[in-house]
Amino acid sequence: MATSSYKRLGDQAFSKVEHINSELFMLTYGALVAQVVKDSEDAAEANRQLDQMGYNIGVRLVDEFLARSGIGKISTFRETAEIIAKVGFKMFLNVIATVGNWSGDKEYSLLFDENPLAEFVELPRDDATKALFYSNLLCGVLRGALESVSAPFHVYFFYTLLLLIRFYFIYLFICFIYSLRCSSLLV
Amino acid sequence: MSNGYLFVMVGADDVPLYEYGVLTQRSEESSYSYHFKIHAALDAVDECMWRKTNMFLPNVDVCSNALVSAFVTAGSVRLMLLHEFRNDDGIKHFFTDVYELFIKIQLNPFHEPNSPIKSQHFDARVKGLARKYLKP
């Protein structure tokens, strides 16, 4: 299926779901991350907790995603990437990603132009947050969702560029999705 | 009339959150006389802010030859400016723009309310605004 038809599917799915205020969502997520950071000893543990939370969300989210988006049977790994990027993220976060860094049939990156979760966020430069992946919850969501429908994936932030030009938040993060074994999304 | 000024943001519990000043050469007064005057003006601002409904309080206090203007936010954060020149419009614009920057700082989940503002970006923006608006 062409990318444009996935985009159209994404738009349709987005229009079918309930919308909430994005600022409210961002503030809620921000409060969550701030609390997790306070409760954790270091950034690695905070990352892990966010990932675990995302995982719990993902295993439940995938059913709703499949039901609302009307995706049929997918046969190639490439298509799963496109669907996640165009339909999945559009439906829940109203952003789309581009699939890049495609390497073999095992790993690829999702590139975002803007981070829907981190509009007003500026990470303080202390030890607790230096190595923090602010949006690690998203990785967990992907991991959980993909694990429920097929083989386990490794999802992690490869690189996040949190430029301190605060109000021109070019928050570009590259998420590496690395499959343990080559598998396809069977519905 | 000199062009010196001192801008201080005071939190709800009277803790200073941010300050920036341009001091002119004064031989007889110490460099902290500006801070002292603003501190003394806090009482006047507190009194004034409950009487008036608008956020901007121009020329709320006078200390020797300097005026203090204030801008009170909904959360009782006071933006105080000690100045020796008169420029109500410029000061008002300055306050409103700094207020918007301050709102964005507040939206940062890692910022504790009423804690000092250490963001360098905020600092740079405020300095730019001060250069732009705070002249007679």
Side-chain angles (χ1 to χ4, degrees):
Chain A
M1 274 177 93
T3 308
S4 56
S5 57
Y6 281 139
K7 276 207 193 105
R8 199 172 26 86
L9 247 156
D11 290 335
Q12 275 172 5
F14 180 64
S15 59
K16 274 194 267 176
V17 296
E18 272 178 31
H19 298 185
I20 66 164
N21 187 333
S22 66
E23 279 191 11
L24 175 67
F25 183 65
M26 272 189 265
L27 289 177
T28 308
Y29 184 69
L32 176 83
V33 175
Q35 194 59 48
V36 166
V37 166
K38 259 191 248 177
D39 292 342
S40 319
E41 293 149 4
D42 56 4
E45 197 199 320
N47 286 339
R48 220 171 1 93
Q49 287 212 23
L50 287 174
D51 187 78
Q52 187 56 36
M53 277 191 240
Y55 180 80
N56 294 332
I57 294 176
V59 297
R60 291 162 178 84
L61 204 68
V62 66
D63 285 322
E64 175 167 356
F65 170 66
L66 292 171
R68 299 240 188 185
S69 60
I71 302 281
K73 194 160 184 283
I74 312 295
S75 45
T76 72
F77 192 55
R78 178 100 210 193
E79 284 188 43
T80 76
E82 284 293 327
I83 286 174
I84 293 171
K86 300 285 179 302
V87 186
F89 274 98
K90 175 74 184 179
M91 183 169 148
F92 292 110
L93 291 176
N94 200 18
V95 287
I96 57 174
T98 34
V99 180
N101 285 359
W102 188 261
S103 102
D105 216 3
K106 279 190 186 267
E107 56 184 64
Y108 57 90
S109 310
L110 293 175
L111 299 121
F112 297 81
D113 274 338
E114 51 176 17
N115 186 349
L117 299 174
E119 184 71 31
F120 303 110
V121 177
E122 190 175 326
L123 291 182
R125 303 290 209 88
D126 50 26
D127 297 326
T129 54
K130 231 188 295 200
L132 177 76
F133 288 129
Y134 184 79
S135 315
N136 215 26
L137 194 110
L138 294 181
C139 285
V141 170
L142 287 172
R143 186 167 66 89
L146 291 167
E147 199 169 300
S148 317
V149 290
S150 68
F153 279 65
H154 264 313
V155 183
Y156 55 92
F157 271 94
F158 175 64
Y159 183 58
T160 122
L161 209 163
L162 188 62
L163 295 185
L164 293 179
I165 305 173
R166 193 140 181 270
F167 307 121
Y168 300 92
F169 241 69
I170 310 164
Y171 198 101
L172 177 80
F173 58 78
I174 304 175
C175 176
F176 244 120
I177 301 191
Y178 172 67
S179 154
L180 286 179
R181 48 183 192 277
C182 201
S183 61
S184 44
L185 181 68
L186 297 171
V187 176
Chain B
M1 190 174 288
S2 73
N3 290 349
Y5 55 84
L6 178 66
F7 170 63
V8 180
M9 292 176 60
V10 185
D13 46 4
D14 292 344
V15 169
L17 306 180
Y18 177 79
E19 70 176 46
Y20 170 62
V22 166
L23 307 175
T24 57
Q25 304 92 323
R26 278 183 177 274
S27 46
E28 62 271 22
E29 293 176 9
S30 79
S31 58
Y32 282 110
S33 67
Y34 281 14
H35 292 78
F36 178 73
K37 286 174 188 167
I38 287 203
H39 197 259
L42 274 178
D43 283 337
V45 172
D46 283 344
E47 198 188 323
C48 212
M49 73 190 211
W50 297 115
R51 281 193 284 118
K52 296 172 78 172
T53 49
N54 35 337
M55 297 170 104
F56 175 54
L57 310 168
N59 309 325
V60 68
D61 196 18
V62 177
C63 275
S64 59
N65 57 344
L67 302 159
V68 177
S69 298
F71 183 97
V72 185
T73 69
S76 290
V77 173
R78 286 143 288 183
L79 314 181
M80 322 257 303
L81 182 73
L82 179 103
H83 53 98
E84 282 167 13
F85 50 87
R86 298 191 73 103
N87 184 0
D88 279 351
D89 260 348
I91 294 177
K92 185 172 188 177
H93 282 130
F94 174 71
F95 276 148
T96 16
D97 285 349
V98 173
Y99 179 47
E100 287 190 22
L101 289 173
F102 177 63
I103 291 175
K104 296 207 171 84
I105 292 267
Q106 296 267 63
L107 287 171
N108 182 5
F110 293 107
H111 177 259
E112 299 287 324
N114 287 323
S115 69
I117 299 174
K118 299 212 166 38
S119 158
Q120 282 160 344
H121 182 251
F122 179 79
D123 194 33
R125 289 290 294 257
V126 169
K127 286 181 176 149
L129 287 171
R131 268 196 298 273
K132 182 174 167 199
Y133 286 121
L134 294 181
K135 25 188 206 235

